[in-house]
Amino acid sequence: IAHPFLSDKFLAQETINMRRLFLPKSQTWVYEDDERIAGFICLLDNVVGGIFVHPDWQRKGVGKLLMDQARSVHDTLELEVFKANYQAITFYNKYGFKVASERHDKATNQPMLKLSYKKGE
C-alpha cells in the first residue's frame, strides 16, 4: 500500500531479502493485538530498517508506540524512505526526523531521502 510506485518483482525480492538477510540481524519489536501481529519495527543498530503497520491498525497509535520504542533505545536514529512515500514522510516528520541527504536508487529508479533524528532537536 505504501509503495504503489514499486514493481511487484522488486517488492517480492525485497520480501525475501527482509526475511533472509535483514530480520536475522536486526532488533525487532512486534505489536500484537488479540494474538494478531498489528505491526513491527526493525533496527540495525540505530538504523530503522523498516516499520510496518497492518492497514487495519493504521492511524490507531501502533506506529507511534513502535517509534517510541525505537527512540527509547537510541538517542539518534536514521532511515531511508522513498520520496514518493508521502504518508511515511509525514509520519517521520512528526517525530522530528529531518532530511540529511537525497539520492537516486538505481534498483527502483526512484529518489530516496535519508532522514535523521536526534533526541532534543
Side-chain angles (χ1 to χ4, degrees):
I1 293 172
H3 304 106
F5 47 87
L6 298 176
S7 72
D8 290 341
K9 181 180 177 182
F10 177 81
L11 290 172
Q13 184 60 52
E14 284 303 295
T15 299
I16 292 168
N17 291 342
M18 179 71 81
R19 289 181 179 147
R20 291 185 184 164
L21 304 174
F22 187 76
L23 283 173
K25 295 178 182 178
S26 68
Q27 190 173 23
T28 302
W29 290 273
V30 178
Y31 182 90
E32 292 183 57
D33 187 42
D34 292 329
E35 298 183 17
R36 291 179 57 203
I37 294 174
F40 65 95
I41 189 168
C42 298
L43 297 178
L44 188 55
D45 297 319
N46 73 323
V47 176
V48 179
I51 179 170
F52 300 95
V53 177
H54 188 281
D56 292 347
W57 283 278
Q58 289 181 359
R59 302 195 191 289
K60 294 181 180 180
V62 173
K64 178 187 181 326
L65 290 171
L66 294 168
M67 187 57 70
D68 286 349
Q69 175 62 33
R71 293 189 318 171
S72 76
V73 176
H74 295 283
D75 289 341
T76 63
L77 295 168
E78 295 179 352
L79 60 89
E80 281 197 318
V81 62
F82 288 101
K83 194 171 183 179
N85 191 347
Y86 306 113
Q87 183 177 345
I89 293 169
T90 300
F91 175 80
Y92 295 130
N93 284 339
K94 288 180 184 179
Y95 287 92
F97 281 86
K98 296 185 177 15
V99 175
S101 63
E102 184 173 341
R103 71 174 181 87
H104 184 81
D105 184 63
K106 292 178 185 175
T108 62
N109 199 31
Q110 293 286 322
M112 298 198 70
L113 299 175
K114 182 177 182 179
L115 304 181
S116 62
Y117 162 83
K118 186 172 183 180
K119 186 176 183 177
E121 284 188 5

